[in-house]
Amino acid sequence: MKKQVFRQRWRWYFPRFVTVCCAILLLIRPIAFAISASATTPSPTPTVEKPTESKPAEPKPAEKPEESKPAEPTKTPEQLEREKTLIEADRLYRSGDKAQAVKLYQAVKPPFQGVVEANPQEVITDPAQLSTAGQVYWRESEAGLAQNLESRIFVPLELLVKEIPQFVPGQLRYAEALEKFGKTEQALAVLEKAATRYPNQPELIKAKVAALAKNEKWIDASIAARQFALLNPNHSEASALTALADDYQKRYQKQLRSRLRGNLVGGILTGALGYALTGSLFGPLTSVQNTALLLRGESAVGDRVVRQAKRQLDLVEDKEVNDYIAGIGQKLADAAGRKEFKYEFYVVLDDKLNAFALPGGKVFVNAGAIEKANSEAELAGLLGHELSHAILSHSFQLITEGSLTANITQFIPYVGGLITDLTTLSYSRDMERQADVLGTRLLASTDYAADGLYNLMVTLRKQEEEKKRDLPPAWLASHPLPNDRVNYLQELITQTGYNRYAFEGVEQHSAIQSKVKQLLKEHKEREEKKGNRRDRN
């Protein structure tokens, strides 16, 4: 009873306490500023006008001859023939003649090096279907569990999941045993790998969701559950997993609000102390304002920053280009499951291959990404990866974990002029892998060629190797490309059986590319004229 009374009083007093503190800080600020200004303003001194000296006219610099610009590289006959074949394959694929389309795709898309093209093995759920060796491993692990002997449990289970990964009960038992002996991270890794490899197996998905929830990784659990329901809407488990996804999403938001409220109190107290010591209110006000904004959620942060971004960035206004990007992005977003977001897509007049996503599903892609991607599927791979960071709340998590006194706009490229490349968020390796997995899954589920992101990364890696630059391409500067990342995507596609020989989208992409090149050229000419006028002034 006492606890309930305390909670009721806390809920009543806490927001009022915060409001009063903020009001005091806001009231004190102009008074303090006026006092400091009056104390430090020097008395005006009379100025004496100096006679203007006549200067000899400076000779005009000789105009430099225009430098010859390198001609744009033309496509080779082989490239033109390949493009023609892909356009025909896309036409067949869209018309429903997928068998013939696949033959054409296979004719021009080389097989992955070092791996066998996927022929997904049939999932096994009955131990009686195991090979002789598999049945021995299974019996040994049962005996080990009965005796509680680690060596007798893990040795046969490791061999079982390695040699017969399609045996789902073996994957589940291995993860359960690891969890039982306190090896939580290893258990999650086993379930993640198995669920990625067999994404349509509800028992694996439920085990993964349960393990994530047990470790209070609420947003990851919510996304995993919702993805299965979206990709398998007619499955008997779909409605139950959707309900779980909603529940875990609410828990994530509740956990986040609780942490932010604690940060808000800390920010107010720290700000009050800082004001007492330095007389400056800038730090505490920024801290309180940022935290108050974060408390409103991801969409509020995205809406706030996107308004500033739209004022400061040179955006493409061409309807055809914008509709093209929005069409691709919305198709991917519909498969992602975060229905509470209002997804928006913008094209920035910049020739670098770059893109970024704000919290709440606001995505910006450079015109240079459209220009350099070889197909709609590659561009969709880039958009899918960035959307995945927003869907998985990666940027929002990192912002909430950052410094309270930091201005939120420092996390966004271009905005505020604080950074020049994609972002300072420095996504972790795990976050990058999660975005790769979800982005590729979104490609496959929306009928694009599943190797779109993979092919884009191969292109980027070639650029980096050929130019041997000190700085990598802009997108890679903030999305590190470890040596194993391209190989990992290759394995992901082959092991899951995602379709590489699906829609590429070459013809429309080529037309949009031409328009974007012209827009970039016109933008560059305008910027050069502005620069010349500034030089003359």
Side-chain angles (χ1 to χ4, degrees), residues 400-457:
T400 58
E401 291 165 6
S403 168
L404 281 174
T405 58
N407 191 312
I408 288 172
T409 57
Q410 77 172 332
F411 295 107
I412 312 304
Y414 317 107
V415 177
L418 294 172
I419 48 181
T420 55
D421 274 326
L422 181 66
T423 176
T424 58
L425 285 176
S426 298
Y427 294 123
S428 69
R429 177 178 285 239
D430 284 344
M431 286 180 171
E432 286 298 343
R433 179 161 287 200
Q434 288 168 6
D436 285 344
V437 171
L438 181 55
T440 299
R441 188 177 297 171
L442 291 175
L443 278 179
S445 64
T446 49
D447 228 17
Y448 282 114
D451 57 359
L453 179 60
Y454 165 86
N455 288 331
L456 185 70
M457 287 192 177

Side-chain angles (χ1 to χ4, degrees), residues 78-311:
E78 291 78 10
Q79 288 173 323
L80 290 170
E81 186 61 32
R82 181 179 187 275
E83 189 174 282
K84 183 179 176 182
T85 302
L86 287 172
I87 290 171
E88 176 61 17
D90 285 339
R91 186 189 65 77
L92 291 168
Y93 194 87
R94 281 288 172 88
S95 68
D97 190 356
K98 294 187 177 181
Q100 190 60 34
V102 167
K103 290 180 182 178
L104 292 179
Y105 287 133
Q106 288 175 331
V108 293
K109 295 181 71 171
F112 284 146
Q113 297 297 316
V115 294
V116 178
E117 289 289 340
N119 287 310
Q121 296 166 307
E122 195 70 30
V123 168
I124 299 173
T125 56
D126 184 358
Q129 294 178 295
L130 290 171
S131 63
T132 302
Q135 291 183 20
V136 171
Y137 299 149
W138 185 245
R139 288 197 300 270
E140 275 296 300
S141 67
E142 281 183 329
L145 286 167
Q147 298 170 13
N148 207 35
L149 292 175
E150 280 194 59
S151 60
R152 201 171 179 186
I153 296 170
F154 291 117
V155 171
L157 284 177
E158 286 171 5
L159 290 169
L160 182 60
V161 299
K162 182 180 179 181
E163 295 178 13
I164 315 174
Q166 68 271 29
F167 181 50
V168 171
Q171 301 277 8
L172 295 172
R173 179 176 286 183
Y174 187 27
E176 288 168 6
L178 288 166
E179 184 70 39
K180 179 181 177 180
F181 284 91
K183 301 176 181 180
T184 302
E185 290 304 317
Q186 286 178 258
L188 283 171
V190 167
L191 289 170
E192 176 67 33
K193 186 175 181 180
T196 300
R197 194 167 190 172
Y198 303 105
N200 299 323
Q201 291 301 308
E203 295 306 316
L204 281 175
I205 302 301
K206 286 194 293 185
K208 176 185 172 181
V209 168
L212 289 167
K214 186 176 180 180
N215 289 276
E216 296 189 355
K217 297 186 177 184
W218 303 119
I219 192 64
D220 298 299
S222 175
I223 291 293
R226 199 179 305 280
Q227 271 290 303
F228 180 87
L230 282 168
L231 299 179
N232 303 276
N234 298 321
H235 198 282
S236 59
E237 300 281 355
S239 58
L241 284 167
T242 299
L244 275 178
D246 292 339
D247 179 43
Y248 292 149
Q249 186 174 319
K250 289 175 184 175
R251 294 193 189 199
Y252 165 72
Q253 292 168 341
K254 182 179 178 181
Q255 183 187 59
L256 185 61
R257 283 194 297 269
S258 176
R259 187 169 78 243
L260 287 171
R261 286 193 188 103
N263 287 350
L264 183 58
V265 174
I268 292 169
L269 296 176
T270 302
L273 178 61
Y275 177 70
L277 294 173
T278 66
S280 172
L281 276 168
F282 179 76
L285 282 173
T286 303
S287 169
V288 170
Q289 290 165 351
N290 283 353
T291 308
L293 177 60
L294 291 172
L295 273 168
R296 292 171 57 198
E298 296 172 69
S299 293
V301 173
D303 290 340
R304 171 74 174 273
V305 181
V306 82
R307 287 197 295 271
Q308 186 173 350
K310 286 165 71 175
R311 286 195 299 269

Side-chain angles (χ1 to χ4, degrees), residues 20-94:
V20 169
C21 289
C22 291
I24 291 170
L25 290 173
L26 289 168
L27 287 170
I28 292 174
R29 186 184 188 189
I31 298 169
F33 178 78
I35 293 170
S36 63
S38 63
T40 57
T41 303
S43 57
T45 56
T47 58
V48 179
E49 290 186 5
K50 293 183 179 180
T52 56
E53 297 180 3
S54 59
K55 295 183 179 179
E58 295 182 2
K60 293 183 179 180
E63 292 185 4
K64 294 181 180 179
E66 288 188 10
E67 296 180 4
S68 58
K69 297 179 182 178
E72 288 189 11
T74 57
K75 294 179 181 178
T76 64
E78 291 78 10
Q79 288 173 323
L80 290 170
E81 186 61 32
R82 181 179 187 275
E83 189 174 282
K84 183 179 176 182
T85 302
L86 287 172
I87 290 171
E88 176 61 17
D90 285 339
R91 186 189 65 77
L92 291 168
Y93 194 87
R94 281 288 172 88

